């Protein structure tokens, strides 16, 4: 059930801002994100609409400190830098920016987009996340990427010369990828000197081109046991290189973790603006209209792109906090989540299941803190329903 907009009570914890730019040059066959290809984009109209959506959220979160801004997509490196600058400036006027605020922008590693990096840095972006996806040309073609390895590495060089912090993504467990193949590719990735890597196993998501090919028998996903072997290799190699996993798919040098994503995983508040953006503020779940045309029409009509605002009951907050937090190597503080969920710890989790899984080396319980071990992360999707009872 939807409810009227609610003004958030001030909090001492910094919140985060997510900005969604939904447009891409083309749709990758593995992608199920809210991304769209459009022949023409009215940049002035999009700037004004995003600023209106931001103003609406800021009015409901006034007096809060903003700890991070994240431009995601889609392909936000296709945004004119002037729009990025306008949004950062508006956020600075409407919130209090934390000292050293992290401002991340996702980028494709094309030469066209790399040419904008200096202007994006001048606008205030200080961290970039590059969608390299692979360091092999054949794999990039399979993944539907428009760049090749040479162009991707050139963009990475530019990014490292311009931005304080750089992450890049790689997709592994691709069909036909051997242990030797991935070991060589990851070793090369680790040699490139970034402080953060996002390493994802290829998953076949419903509604994607890959899902259609798999249904037709034209694409055979990697065997799960082989994927598990590659995952274990990934953990060992990144740990040895000084970039241990701090989340199931994210690896960083100490201090280089994504502060924005940690806000999600630690169940902090965040405002989400732009098409399809989710948010959490003052115990409410917000959702924007997904289709770009519907979102921008809603902003024109209402001054914001909200599709719904749902009051989360205490049990839902507890469940979300557990499901998000157990992805982290640091785990969760069950006492904190119990307060959030207005329940006893014994009502949140199955203590018997925790003890059994801990004896198998899949969980670790230290007082109120519960962690999934590295071995347990391989089985996270099976472990969560076993232990989360809220």
């Amino acid at each position: 059930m939807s409810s009227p907009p609610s003004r958030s009570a001030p909090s001492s914890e910094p919140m985060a801002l997510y900005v969604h730019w939904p447009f891409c040059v083309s749709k990758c066959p593995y992608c199920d994100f809210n991304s769209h290809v459009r022949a023409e984009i009215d940049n002035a109209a999009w700037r004004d609409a995003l600023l209106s959506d931001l103003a609406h959220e800021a009015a409901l979160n006034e007096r809060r400190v903003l700890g991070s801004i994240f431009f995601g997509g889609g392909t936000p490196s296709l945004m004119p830098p002037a729009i990025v600058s306008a949004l950062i400036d508006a956020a600075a006027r409407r919130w209090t920016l934390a000292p050293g605020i992290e401002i991340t922008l996702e980028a494709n590693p094309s030469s066209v987009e790399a040419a904008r990096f200096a202007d994006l840095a001048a606008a205030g972006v200080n961290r970039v996340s590059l969608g390299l996806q692979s360091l092999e040309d054949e794999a990039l073609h399979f993944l539907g990427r428009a760049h090749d390895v040479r162009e991707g590495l050139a963009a990475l060089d530019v990014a490292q010369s311009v931005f304080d912090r750089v992450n890049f993504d790689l997709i592994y467990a691709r069909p036909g990828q051997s242990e030797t193949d991935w070991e060589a590719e990851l070793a090369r990735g680790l040699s490139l000197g970034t402080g953060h890597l996002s390493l994802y196993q290829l998953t076949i998501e419903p509604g994607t081109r890959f899902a259609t090919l798999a249904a037709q028998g034209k694409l055979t996903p990697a065997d799960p046991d082989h994927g598990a072997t590659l995952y274990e290799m990934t953990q060992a190699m990144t740990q040895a290189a000084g970039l241990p996993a701090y989340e199931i798919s994210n690896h960083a040098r100490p201090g280089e973790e994504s502060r924005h994503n940690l806000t999600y995983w630690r169940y902090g508040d965040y405002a989400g603006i732009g098409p399809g953006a989710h948010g959490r503020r003052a115990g409410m779940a917000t959702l924007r209209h997904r289709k770009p045309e519907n979102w921008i029409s809603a902003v024109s009509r209402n001054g914001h792109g909200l599709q719904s605002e749902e009051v989360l009951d205490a049990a839902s907050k507890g469940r979300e906090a557990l499901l998000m937090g157990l992805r982290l190597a640091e785990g969760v503080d069950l006492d904190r989540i119990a307060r959030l969920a207005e329940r006893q710890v014994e009502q949140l989790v199955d203590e018997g299941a925790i003890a059994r899984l801990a004896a198998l080396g899949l969980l670790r319980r230290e007082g109120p803190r519960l962690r999934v071990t590295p071995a347990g992360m391989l089985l996270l999707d099976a472990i969560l329903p076993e232990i989360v009872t809220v």
Side-chain angles (χ1 to χ4, degrees), residues 322-359:
L322 281 168
L323 296 180
M324 295 297 283
L326 287 170
R327 299 172 60 91
L328 290 168
E330 69 185 22
V332 295
D333 181 337
L334 291 174
D335 287 347
R336 171 186 175 256
I337 295 177
R339 291 191 296 271
L340 190 70
E342 300 174 8
R343 279 164 166 72
Q344 300 298 312
V345 169
E346 295 76 15
Q347 297 172 300
L348 290 176
V349 292
D350 185 330
E351 296 281 10
I354 288 174
R356 176 171 53 82
L357 293 170

Side-chain angles (χ1 to χ4, degrees), residues 50 62 80 117 129 131 186 189-191 212 292-293 320 328 339:
L50 284 166
E62 59 190 8
F117 286 175
S129 182
L186 180 54
L190 288 166
S191 76
T212 300
E293 291 77 11
E320 286 188 346
L328 290 168
R339 291 191 296 271

Side-chain angles (χ1 to χ4, degrees), residues 185-311:
E185 187 173 0
L186 180 54
R188 188 179 186 188
L190 288 166
S191 76
L192 296 174
T194 65
H196 193 290
L197 290 176
S198 296
L199 306 172
Y200 304 107
Q201 291 199 31
L202 178 64
T203 54
I204 308 301
E205 301 290 354
T208 63
R209 175 64 178 159
F210 275 176
T212 300
L213 293 175
Q216 295 171 344
K218 297 177 181 178
L219 185 154
T220 303
D223 178 79
D225 288 341
H226 179 60
T229 299
L230 298 184
Y231 176 84
E232 290 171 340
M233 177 187 299
T234 301
Q235 307 316 299
M237 290 179 64
T238 54
Q239 178 78 36
L243 282 81
Y246 69 98
E247 189 268 346
I248 189 167
S249 299
N250 285 276
H251 307 254
R253 295 191 195 115
E256 292 289 312
E257 299 87 356
S258 167
R259 296 199 291 274
H260 184 87
N261 287 336
L262 282 172
T263 298
Y264 299 158
W265 295 321
R266 290 172 174 166
Y267 208 62
D269 279 358
Y270 60 97
I273 68 168
H278 292 259
R280 292 289 183 276
R281 56 168 150 79
M284 300 188 72
T286 67
L287 175 65
R288 259 61 186 172
H289 289 279
R290 182 177 175 88
K291 187 178 179 182
E293 291 77 11
N294 293 346
W295 173 84
I296 205 166
S297 293
V299 175
S300 177
R301 187 171 60 249
N302 304 320
H304 58 76
L306 277 164
Q307 176 179 311
S308 64
E309 287 182 306
E310 306 287 339
V311 177

